[in-house]
Amino acid sequence: MSLVTLLPFIVLIGAMFLMTRSAKKKQQAAAQMRNDMQPGTGVRTIGGMYATVKEIQDDTVLLEIAPGVHAIFAKNSIGAVLDDAEYNRIVHGDDGLDAEGTVVPDDASSLTDGESSEEDAADDDAKIDLGKKAEDDAPEVAESKGSDVKSSEVKDAKADEGDAK
């Protein structure tokens, strides 16, 4: 066999070695992180639950999920050990925003010019009237159509028709 024939196999074996080496380094870093856990630190499990470490055993960890609520987890189920500031920000909602920092409002009021006045709003209301007409306007509409017949005359006419039959 020549060197040209073996070259693809050598490259393939080298790539596999590099991939397994990086995966092994990640596993060692995760194991070191789990071993560095101390009681009182905040953690996130691989399921996404945030808790505080209470006790550490060889293969298990006792976590306080809520005040007075404890659960035992395997050490391998700890996804990340969080520093105190990040844990408080996530769990307790501590923002830690500086007063000088940019604050984004929750509503869209800042997107408008702010130059619109009450007069503009009054003009918009005057242009579109979506309200119902008052009931007092209904007889005026009937009279404007030229209807001179009164309701009592209609009842009399219907009664006369009934008597004729």
Side-chain angles (χ1 to χ4, degrees):
M1 286 191 164
S2 68
L3 184 62
V4 177
T5 310
L6 292 177
L7 188 60
F9 293 114
I10 293 171
V11 170
L12 184 64
I13 291 171
M16 288 175 49
F17 173 73
L18 290 175
M19 286 191 297
T20 57
R21 183 175 163 205
S22 65
K24 189 178 258 188
K25 280 187 177 183
K26 286 180 183 178
Q27 286 177 349
Q28 287 176 348
Q32 184 65 33
M33 173 205 55
R34 290 182 189 111
N35 290 333
D36 290 344
M37 279 188 302
Q38 298 294 325
T41 58
V43 295
R44 183 185 68 234
T45 65
I46 57 174
M49 186 180 338
Y50 293 91
T52 305
V53 177
K54 288 298 175 185
E55 292 180 14
I56 301 173
Q57 304 297 324
D58 291 336
D59 294 330
T60 60
V61 180
L62 179 67
L63 299 179
E64 184 177 29
I65 300 167
V69 179
H70 296 88
I72 298 175
F73 282 81
K75 265 191 178 178
N76 291 339
S77 67
I78 303 300
V81 177
L82 308 171
D83 60 350
D84 291 336
E86 184 178 5
Y87 180 77
N88 288 333
R89 181 183 60 82
I90 294 170
V91 175
H92 301 297
D94 296 342
D95 291 335
L97 289 178
D98 297 336
E100 299 173 5
T102 305
V103 178
V104 179
D106 291 340
D107 60 357
S109 63
S110 64
L111 300 177
T112 61
D113 292 339
E115 298 177 7
S116 63
S117 63
E118 292 179 16
E119 294 174 3
D120 294 339
D123 291 343
D124 291 342
D125 290 340
K127 292 177 186 175
I128 300 172
D129 183 20
L130 298 177
K132 292 183 178 180
K133 304 260 186 210
E135 291 182 15
D136 296 338
D137 295 342
E140 294 174 7
V141 172
E143 291 175 5
S144 67
K145 291 183 180 177
S147 173
D148 295 333
V149 179
K150 295 182 181 176
S151 60
S152 60
E153 293 176 0
V154 172
K155 290 180 184 175
D156 291 340
K158 286 184 180 178
D160 292 341
E161 286 179 17
D163 291 339
K165 291 181 181 179

